[in-house]
Amino acid sequence: MCRSIKTLRPPALPEQATEEEIRAAALQYVRKVSGFRAPAAHNREVFDRAVDAVAAATADLLSGLEVRGAGRP
């Protein structure tokens, strides 16, 4: 669906994903789902809330994942 969203977990990203990377991925997702690159003023609040919610869910997911074998050659 969103080929431009990069993988944020090891081994694709050896270090922990930053808040900025998580937010950027959330923004790309909301843009894709909504069909808006930038929402109109009357949609800005709901758009921003969606980005916040997706970013929080993403951070929660990443913090709970157990990646086995990460760092193995």
Side-chain angles (χ1 to χ4, degrees), residues 6 11-12 19 25 27 32 40-41 45 57 68 70 73:
K6 71 179 187 177
E19 249 182 73
L27 178 60
K32 184 68 165 186
E45 186 179 337
R68 294 185 179 178

mmCIF file with all atom_site columns, all heavy atoms in Angstrom, residues 6 11-12 19 25 27 32 40-41 45 57 68 70 73:
data_model
loop_
_atom_site.group_PDB
_atom_site.id
_atom_site.type_symbol
_atom_site.label_atom_id
_atom_site.label_alt_id
_atom_site.label_comp_id
_atom_site.label_asym_id
_atom_site.label_entity_id
_atom_site.label_seq_id
_atom_site.pdbx_PDB_ins_code
_atom_site.Cartn_x
_atom_site.Cartn_y
_atom_site.Cartn_z
_atom_site.occupancy
_atom_site.B_iso_or_equiv
_atom_site.pdbx_formal_charge
_atom_site.auth_seq_id
_atom_site.auth_comp_id
_atom_site.auth_asym_id
_atom_site.auth_atom_id
_atom_site.pdbx_PDB_model_num
ATOM 1  N N   . LYS A 1 6  ? 9.214   3.528   5.143  1.00 0.00 ? 6  LYS A N   1
ATOM 2  C CA  . LYS A 1 6  ? 10.316  2.588   5.360  1.00 0.00 ? 6  LYS A CA  1
ATOM 3  C C   . LYS A 1 6  ? 10.065  1.737   6.600  1.00 0.00 ? 6  LYS A C   1
ATOM 4  O O   . LYS A 1 6  ? 9.340   2.125   7.514  1.00 0.00 ? 6  LYS A O   1
ATOM 5  C CB  . LYS A 1 6  ? 11.641  3.332   5.469  1.00 0.00 ? 6  LYS A CB  1
ATOM 6  C CG  . LYS A 1 6  ? 11.822  4.137   6.718  1.00 0.00 ? 6  LYS A CG  1
ATOM 7  C CD  . LYS A 1 6  ? 13.197  4.801   6.710  1.00 0.00 ? 6  LYS A CD  1
ATOM 8  C CE  . LYS A 1 6  ? 13.477  5.485   8.020  1.00 0.00 ? 6  LYS A CE  1
ATOM 9  N NZ  . LYS A 1 6  ? 14.796  6.057   8.073  1.00 0.00 ? 6  LYS A NZ  1
ATOM 10 N N   . PRO A 1 11 ? 16.106  -5.853  11.398 1.00 0.00 ? 11 PRO A N   1
ATOM 11 C CA  . PRO A 1 11 ? 17.420  -5.378  11.012 1.00 0.00 ? 11 PRO A CA  1
ATOM 12 C C   . PRO A 1 11 ? 17.399  -4.297  9.940  1.00 0.00 ? 11 PRO A C   1
ATOM 13 O O   . PRO A 1 11 ? 18.437  -3.788  9.562  1.00 0.00 ? 11 PRO A O   1
ATOM 14 C CB  . PRO A 1 11 ? 18.109  -6.634  10.494 1.00 0.00 ? 11 PRO A CB  1
ATOM 15 C CG  . PRO A 1 11 ? 16.997  -7.467  9.948  1.00 0.00 ? 11 PRO A CG  1
ATOM 16 C CD  . PRO A 1 11 ? 15.791  -7.150  10.804 1.00 0.00 ? 11 PRO A CD  1
ATOM 17 N N   . ALA A 1 12 ? 16.223  -3.913  9.442  1.00 0.00 ? 12 ALA A N   1
ATOM 18 C CA  . ALA A 1 12 ? 16.171  -2.863  8.423  1.00 0.00 ? 12 ALA A CA  1
ATOM 19 C C   . ALA A 1 12 ? 16.691  -1.535  8.981  1.00 0.00 ? 12 ALA A C   1
ATOM 20 O O   . ALA A 1 12 ? 17.302  -0.752  8.272  1.00 0.00 ? 12 ALA A O   1
ATOM 21 C CB  . ALA A 1 12 ? 14.744  -2.683  7.912  1.00 0.00 ? 12 ALA A CB  1
ATOM 22 N N   . GLU A 1 19 ? 11.525  9.344   17.128 1.00 0.00 ? 19 GLU A N   1
ATOM 23 C CA  . GLU A 1 19 ? 10.179  9.923   17.105 1.00 0.00 ? 19 GLU A CA  1
ATOM 24 C C   . GLU A 1 19 ? 9.880   10.545  15.747 1.00 0.00 ? 19 GLU A C   1
ATOM 25 O O   . GLU A 1 19 ? 8.766   10.438  15.235 1.00 0.00 ? 19 GLU A O   1
ATOM 26 C CB  . GLU A 1 19 ? 10.070  11.014  18.185 1.00 0.00 ? 19 GLU A CB  1
ATOM 27 C CG  . GLU A 1 19 ? 9.161   10.649  19.324 1.00 0.00 ? 19 GLU A CG  1
ATOM 28 C CD  . GLU A 1 19 ? 9.051   11.781  20.331 1.00 0.00 ? 19 GLU A CD  1
ATOM 29 O OE1 . GLU A 1 19 ? 8.376   12.801  20.013 1.00 0.00 ? 19 GLU A OE1 1
ATOM 30 O OE2 . GLU A 1 19 ? 9.621   11.639  21.415 1.00 0.00 ? 19 GLU A OE2 1
ATOM 31 N N   . ALA A 1 25 ? 6.436   8.289   9.164  1.00 0.00 ? 25 ALA A N   1
ATOM 32 C CA  . ALA A 1 25 ? 5.722   7.119   8.657  1.00 0.00 ? 25 ALA A CA  1
ATOM 33 C C   . ALA A 1 25 ? 4.217   7.266   8.885  1.00 0.00 ? 25 ALA A C   1
ATOM 34 O O   . ALA A 1 25 ? 3.406   6.941   8.009  1.00 0.00 ? 25 ALA A O   1
ATOM 35 C CB  . ALA A 1 25 ? 6.242   5.848   9.326  1.00 0.00 ? 25 ALA A CB  1
ATOM 36 N N   . LEU A 1 27 ? 2.528   10.067  9.119  1.00 0.00 ? 27 LEU A N   1
ATOM 37 C CA  . LEU A 1 27 ? 2.050   11.094  8.191  1.00 0.00 ? 27 LEU A CA  1
ATOM 38 C C   . LEU A 1 27 ? 1.852   10.507  6.796  1.00 0.00 ? 27 LEU A C   1
ATOM 39 O O   . LEU A 1 27 ? 0.827   10.762  6.146  1.00 0.00 ? 27 LEU A O   1
ATOM 40 C CB  . LEU A 1 27 ? 3.032   12.268  8.156  1.00 0.00 ? 27 LEU A CB  1
ATOM 41 C CG  . LEU A 1 27 ? 2.702   13.405  7.193  1.00 0.00 ? 27 LEU A CG  1
ATOM 42 C CD1 . LEU A 1 27 ? 1.350   14.030  7.514  1.00 0.00 ? 27 LEU A CD1 1
ATOM 43 C CD2 . LEU A 1 27 ? 3.807   14.456  7.232  1.00 0.00 ? 27 LEU A CD2 1
ATOM 44 N N   . LYS A 1 32 ? -1.877  8.728   2.620  1.00 0.00 ? 32 LYS A N   1
ATOM 45 C CA  . LYS A 1 32 ? -2.303  7.702   1.665  1.00 0.00 ? 32 LYS A CA  1
ATOM 46 C C   . LYS A 1 32 ? -3.765  7.323   1.881  1.00 0.00 ? 32 LYS A C   1
ATOM 47 O O   . LYS A 1 32 ? -4.550  7.266   0.936  1.00 0.00 ? 32 LYS A O   1
ATOM 48 C CB  . LYS A 1 32 ? -1.411  6.465   1.821  1.00 0.00 ? 32 LYS A CB  1
ATOM 49 C CG  . LYS A 1 32 ? -1.693  5.379   0.842  1.00 0.00 ? 32 LYS A CG  1
ATOM 50 C CD  . LYS A 1 32 ? -1.307  5.807   -0.549 1.00 0.00 ? 32 LYS A CD  1
ATOM 51 C CE  . LYS A 1 32 ? -1.227  4.621   -1.479 1.00 0.00 ? 32 LYS A CE  1
ATOM 52 N NZ  . LYS A 1 32 ? -0.728  4.992   -2.782 1.00 0.00 ? 32 LYS A NZ  1
ATOM 53 N N   . ALA A 1 40 ? -7.352  20.428  3.842  1.00 0.00 ? 40 ALA A N   1
ATOM 54 C CA  . ALA A 1 40 ? -7.912  21.779  3.891  1.00 0.00 ? 40 ALA A CA  1
ATOM 55 C C   . ALA A 1 40 ? -8.010  22.202  5.356  1.00 0.00 ? 40 ALA A C   1
ATOM 56 O O   . ALA A 1 40 ? -8.001  21.364  6.261  1.00 0.00 ? 40 ALA A O   1
ATOM 57 C CB  . ALA A 1 40 ? -9.293  21.788  3.242  1.00 0.00 ? 40 ALA A CB  1
ATOM 58 N N   . ALA A 1 41 ? -8.109  23.485  5.584  1.00 0.00 ? 41 ALA A N   1
ATOM 59 C CA  . ALA A 1 41 ? -8.155  24.021  6.952  1.00 0.00 ? 41 ALA A CA  1
ATOM 60 C C   . ALA A 1 41 ? -9.256  23.358  7.785  1.00 0.00 ? 41 ALA A C   1
ATOM 61 O O   . ALA A 1 41 ? -9.047  23.066  8.964  1.00 0.00 ? 41 ALA A O   1
ATOM 62 C CB  . ALA A 1 41 ? -8.345  25.532  6.921  1.00 0.00 ? 41 ALA A CB  1
ATOM 63 N N   . GLU A 1 45 ? -7.619  19.545  11.858 1.00 0.00 ? 45 GLU A N   1
ATOM 64 C CA  . GLU A 1 45 ? -7.658  18.982  13.211 1.00 0.00 ? 45 GLU A CA  1
ATOM 65 C C   . GLU A 1 45 ? -7.804  17.463  13.190 1.00 0.00 ? 45 GLU A C   1
ATOM 66 O O   . GLU A 1 45 ? -7.065  16.750  13.871 1.00 0.00 ? 45 GLU A O   1
ATOM 67 C CB  . GLU A 1 45 ? -8.787  19.608  14.026 1.00 0.00 ? 45 GLU A CB  1
ATOM 68 C CG  . GLU A 1 45 ? -8.786  19.158  15.478 1.00 0.00 ? 45 GLU A CG  1
ATOM 69 C CD  . GLU A 1 45 ? -9.892  19.793  16.300 1.00 0.00 ? 45 GLU A CD  1
ATOM 70 O OE1 . GLU A 1 45 ? -10.391 20.874  15.927 1.00 0.00 ? 45 GLU A OE1 1
ATOM 71 O OE2 . GLU A 1 45 ? -10.252 19.193  17.315 1.00 0.00 ? 45 GLU A OE2 1
ATOM 72 N N   . ALA A 1 57 ? 0.318   4.429   17.984 1.00 0.00 ? 57 ALA A N   1
ATOM 73 C CA  . ALA A 1 57 ? 0.139   2.995   17.764 1.00 0.00 ? 57 ALA A CA  1
ATOM 74 C C   . ALA A 1 57 ? 1.423   2.372   17.208 1.00 0.00 ? 57 ALA A C   1
ATOM 75 O O   . ALA A 1 57 ? 1.802   1.262   17.594 1.00 0.00 ? 57 ALA A O   1
ATOM 76 C CB  . ALA A 1 57 ? -1.026  2.743   16.807 1.00 0.00 ? 57 ALA A CB  1
ATOM 77 N N   . ARG A 1 68 ? 13.713  -11.586 16.774 1.00 0.00 ? 68 ARG A N   1
ATOM 78 C CA  . ARG A 1 68 ? 14.675  -12.663 17.023 1.00 0.00 ? 68 ARG A CA  1
ATOM 79 C C   . ARG A 1 68 ? 15.704  -12.721 15.900 1.00 0.00 ? 68 ARG A C   1
ATOM 80 O O   . ARG A 1 68 ? 15.368  -12.510 14.748 1.00 0.00 ? 68 ARG A O   1
ATOM 81 C CB  . ARG A 1 68 ? 13.959  -13.998 17.131 1.00 0.00 ? 68 ARG A CB  1
ATOM 82 C CG  . ARG A 1 68 ? 13.069  -14.043 18.338 1.00 0.00 ? 68 ARG A CG  1
ATOM 83 C CD  . ARG A 1 68 ? 12.460  -15.380 18.517 1.00 0.00 ? 68 ARG A CD  1
ATOM 84 N NE  . ARG A 1 68 ? 11.620  -15.364 19.714 1.00 0.00 ? 68 ARG A NE  1
ATOM 85 C CZ  . ARG A 1 68 ? 10.915  -16.376 20.117 1.00 0.00 ? 68 ARG A CZ  1
ATOM 86 N NH1 . ARG A 1 68 ? 10.925  -17.498 19.422 1.00 0.00 ? 68 ARG A NH1 1
ATOM 87 N NH2 . ARG A 1 68 ? 10.194  -16.294 21.208 1.00 0.00 ? 68 ARG A NH2 1
ATOM 88 N N   . ALA A 1 70 ? 18.078  -10.689 15.314 1.00 0.00 ? 70 ALA A N   1
ATOM 89 C CA  . ALA A 1 70 ? 18.572  -9.396  14.845 1.00 0.00 ? 70 ALA A CA  1
ATOM 90 C C   . ALA A 1 70 ? 20.062  -9.312  15.132 1.00 0.00 ? 70 ALA A C   1
ATOM 91 O O   . ALA A 1 70 ? 20.530  -9.670  16.197 1.00 0.00 ? 70 ALA A O   1
ATOM 92 C CB  . ALA A 1 70 ? 17.839  -8.256  15.553 1.00 0.00 ? 70 ALA A CB  1
ATOM 93 N N   . PRO A 1 73 ? 24.645  -12.520 11.327 1.00 0.00 ? 73 PRO A N   1
ATOM 94 C CA  . PRO A 1 73 ? 25.099  -12.433 9.914  1.00 0.00 ? 73 PRO A CA  1
ATOM 95 C C   . PRO A 1 73 ? 24.330  -13.339 9.005  1.00 0.00 ? 73 PRO A C   1
ATOM 96 O O   . PRO A 1 73 ? 23.628  -14.182 9.333  1.00 0.00 ? 73 PRO A O   1
ATOM 97 C CB  . PRO A 1 73 ? 26.572  -12.836 9.981  1.00 0.00 ? 73 PRO A CB  1
ATOM 98 C CG  . PRO A 1 73 ? 26.814  -13.440 11.307 1.00 0.00 ? 73 PRO A CG  1
ATOM 99 C CD  . PRO A 1 73 ? 25.647  -13.076 12.185 1.00 0.00 ? 73 PRO A CD  1
#
